[in-house]
């Protein structure tokens, strides 16, 4: 699995999930239930993970949507 996005922003998480789903790219939101431990403070970021084989397509998708600044590990392309 490849970490595509890490953020505390629930809107970004939802938007990226929607983009990926519409493009047919499977994703998993990790650390989604960590708010239970942190008391819903939004301190711990959530991560969107995708299959390594979908990495370039997902990067292009986020660039096209204008949210490339949200991507992690961009240097490893």
């Amino acid at each position: 699995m490849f970490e595509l996005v890490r953020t505390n922003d629930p809107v970004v998480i939802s938007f990226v999930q929607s983009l990926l789903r519409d493009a047919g790219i499977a994703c998993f939101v990790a650390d989604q239930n960590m708010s239970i431990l942190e008391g819903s403070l939004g301190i711990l970021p959530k991560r969107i993970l995708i299959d390594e084989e979908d990495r370039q397509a997902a990067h292009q998708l986020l660039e096209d949507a204008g949210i490339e600044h949200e991507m992690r590990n961009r240097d490893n392309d």
Side-chain angles (χ1 to χ4, degrees):
M1 297 295 285
F2 173 76
E3 181 181 330
L4 180 65
V5 172
R6 180 185 298 188
T7 184
N8 293 335
D9 189 336
V11 174
V12 171
I13 294 288
S14 179
F15 183 54
V16 171
Q17 280 184 289
S18 178
L19 287 173
L20 294 171
R21 181 178 48 246
D22 290 349
I25 299 173
C27 70
F28 173 74
V29 180
D31 306 322
Q32 199 165 14
N33 296 318
M34 291 303 290
S35 63
I36 295 167
L37 296 176
E38 71 178 12
S40 299
L41 296 175
I43 297 169
L44 300 172
K46 294 167 186 60
R47 299 173 294 141
I48 295 183
L49 306 175
I50 59 171
D51 287 332
E52 185 68 37
E53 62 207 31
D54 294 323
R55 181 177 175 176
Q56 286 202 308
H59 277 188
Q60 188 62 51
L61 191 64
L62 269 58
E63 284 178 11
D64 292 347
I67 58 170
E68 62 275 1
H69 60 279
E70 296 289 348
M71 289 188 286
R72 304 274 298 174
N73 303 317
R74 187 66 185 147
D75 301 342
N76 298 332
D77 270 349

